[in-house]
Amino acid sequence: MPPRISLRPIGRRGPFYLKARASESNSVCFFCSLSSRPHREQDRRPRRKSKNPRRFASTASTSSDRIVVDPRKELEHVLLELEKHAANYVNLSRLQLALNGLRQKPGDESTRVAVLGLTNGSDSSQTAKQVPKLLLADPLKGEEEWEKEVDHHDLATPMIIRVGPDPVKELVASLLRNASAAIETEKARQLGSSLSSKTSPTPVNSLPSSLDDWAESAHGELQEQLDLAFSSRRWRKLGWWKLFWRVDDVGMLTNDILSQRFLPNSERSAIFLAGRMKEAGVTLGPFPNPSSTNENGAESRRSDTTSPEPEPVPWPVNIPATRRYLQTETIPALQALAQKLTLQTLSTSGLTTALGVLVYLSTLTTTLYEAGTVAALGIVWSLRRMQKKWETARAFWEGEVREEGRKAVRGVESEIAKALKQGQTPKDKVEGQEELARAKNLVERAQEILSKLKHDGASYTTYL
């Protein structure tokens, strides 16, 4: 069958011709279409797997457009963090030199330091020689040749020390080595302290029994010592009938009783127990320091109101605070009562005696016996009144001292038991370990970044 020839001109073919050609190229006969459809469908099926070809293109373009961080900027940031969080482990002056070098253009770093003597004499020369050695020498290495040349140099002529290729990297490396050594030293110190606390002779488990022993001993001491004090010859000197010549000794004698008999051993034992708790790692206190008192028990008056307050103490102060309260509050009241009763007794006795004499002289029928009876009645009544009130006051003061002593012992026991219940409080220890770990991570990060830096042909010049 001869091929079909188009009737349109060949020179110019319009869009309709293109559509016709496309349809002709795609047109097949009916039987061929039936036989070739499965194959064409099979050929088309694999093409459906890549519906979004842009996905691969975008991935490739994203990986090629990835931003590369400048190691110098990153190292500068880490060194700033090291200066902020690990200032105790780095040389800050050398760190500033390193930061200044990192902020300059790579390969053009130039740091010039002039070391000048401020005064005449050999001391100034030696100082000028020591400064560049402190700045440039690596303490982890032995003495180098340039250090010897600096020591033997005559400073009458200038000396220029040039340190190159690549002073910034060497400076940072030396700085990080020193910081790493300081961190390891502190870590070893903390480890030794932790081991010593673990192997301390005061385990935490033994402290509750020590507290029970202390409380039992304190209550026994309180009862025993106060019984001895209130049955002693010194206390008997304050009998009611002896007040006429010992009224001014009430404050002194009662203060001596409190100072010598009011839980002195228990106070020292409480301080010792607080020290054992600190040794075992249990935090106790601090407690406010009681104000100092003078020898007569009165609170010392400070003329200077701007004087600093006493520092707090790391042990319970219930016993000395109670003793101070008894000395400053109860003893003055007891002293005042003794003086008042003495004055009242003498006044009443004198008035009744004068009344008896007046009755005897004013009347002729009143005998001396009757006038003496009037005077004796007044004297007996006033003495009986004095005896009753003074003995009641003494008994009350004895009971108050005993009760306040029991409160003080219970207060100390409560404070120590509370601290033992809370257990060990390694807050400072944890904070120190966190600071050490942060500093170590920063140093390791800086060393990792430093290994990525290229060697730059920079120079470091020191003028002497």
Side-chain angles (χ1 to χ4, degrees), residues 162-184:
R162 298 182 183 273
V163 183
D166 194 31
V168 174
K169 186 172 182 179
E170 293 298 328
L171 181 61
V172 175
S174 175
L175 181 72
L176 294 179
R177 285 197 299 269
N178 296 339
S180 180
I183 290 173
E184 292 300 327

Side-chain angles (χ1 to χ4, degrees), residues 78-291:
V78 175
L79 290 182
L80 288 174
E81 291 294 319
L82 197 64
E83 180 183 16
K84 179 180 179 181
H85 298 290
N88 296 328
Y89 309 109
V90 295
N91 189 329
L92 295 180
S93 60
R94 302 185 70 187
L95 181 61
Q96 289 299 325
L97 288 177
L99 290 173
N100 293 334
L102 290 173
R103 288 163 183 164
Q104 298 177 12
K105 185 178 179 180
D108 295 337
E109 302 95 335
S110 179
T111 304
R112 296 179 176 86
V113 179
V115 181
L116 304 176
L118 299 180
T119 59
N120 297 326
S122 59
D123 294 339
S124 175
S125 301
Q126 294 299 326
T127 303
K129 291 180 180 180
Q130 290 295 329
V131 171
K133 293 174 63 176
L134 293 175
L135 288 174
L136 303 177
D138 190 351
L140 299 181
K141 294 183 179 179
E143 186 177 11
E144 300 182 10
E145 189 65 27
W146 69 270
E147 299 182 57
K148 298 179 181 178
E149 295 180 5
V150 170
D151 291 334
H152 296 89
H153 180 72
D154 185 9
L155 294 182
T157 59
M159 182 180 184
I160 299 177
I161 304 175
R162 298 182 183 273
V163 183
D166 194 31
V168 174
K169 186 172 182 179
E170 293 298 328
L171 181 61
V172 175
S174 175
L175 181 72
L176 294 179
R177 285 197 299 269
N178 296 339
S180 180
I183 290 173
E184 292 300 327
T185 302
E186 179 63 20
K187 185 177 180 181
R189 189 193 67 80
Q190 291 186 3
L191 181 61
S193 177
S194 177
L195 291 177
S196 63
S197 63
K198 290 181 180 179
T199 59
S200 64
T202 308
V204 181
N205 297 333
S206 65
L207 291 177
S209 60
S210 300
L211 176 60
D212 295 337
D213 296 339
W214 178 88
E216 182 179 358
S217 174
H219 284 289
E221 181 190 8
L222 178 68
Q223 181 177 359
E224 180 181 357
Q225 293 298 319
L226 291 184
D227 287 343
L228 292 176
F230 294 134
S231 61
S232 64
R233 181 172 176 269
R234 181 174 299 177
W235 183 244
R236 289 198 299 269
K237 289 180 180 180
L238 297 180
W240 67 272
W241 55 276
K242 296 181 180 181
L243 287 180
F244 296 104
W245 61 89
R246 293 191 180 275
V247 65
D248 293 330
D249 298 336
V250 173
M252 182 188 67
L253 295 176
T254 51
N255 270 294
D256 290 342
I257 290 175
L258 292 179
S259 300
Q260 298 178 11
R261 301 293 185 178
F262 190 79
L263 300 172
N265 297 328
S266 298
E267 182 180 2
R268 290 190 290 267
S269 300
I271 296 175
F272 177 74
L273 182 58
R276 295 183 61 193
M277 294 174 64
K278 183 178 180 179
E279 183 183 22
V282 180
T283 302
L284 182 64
F287 301 94
N289 194 347
S291 301

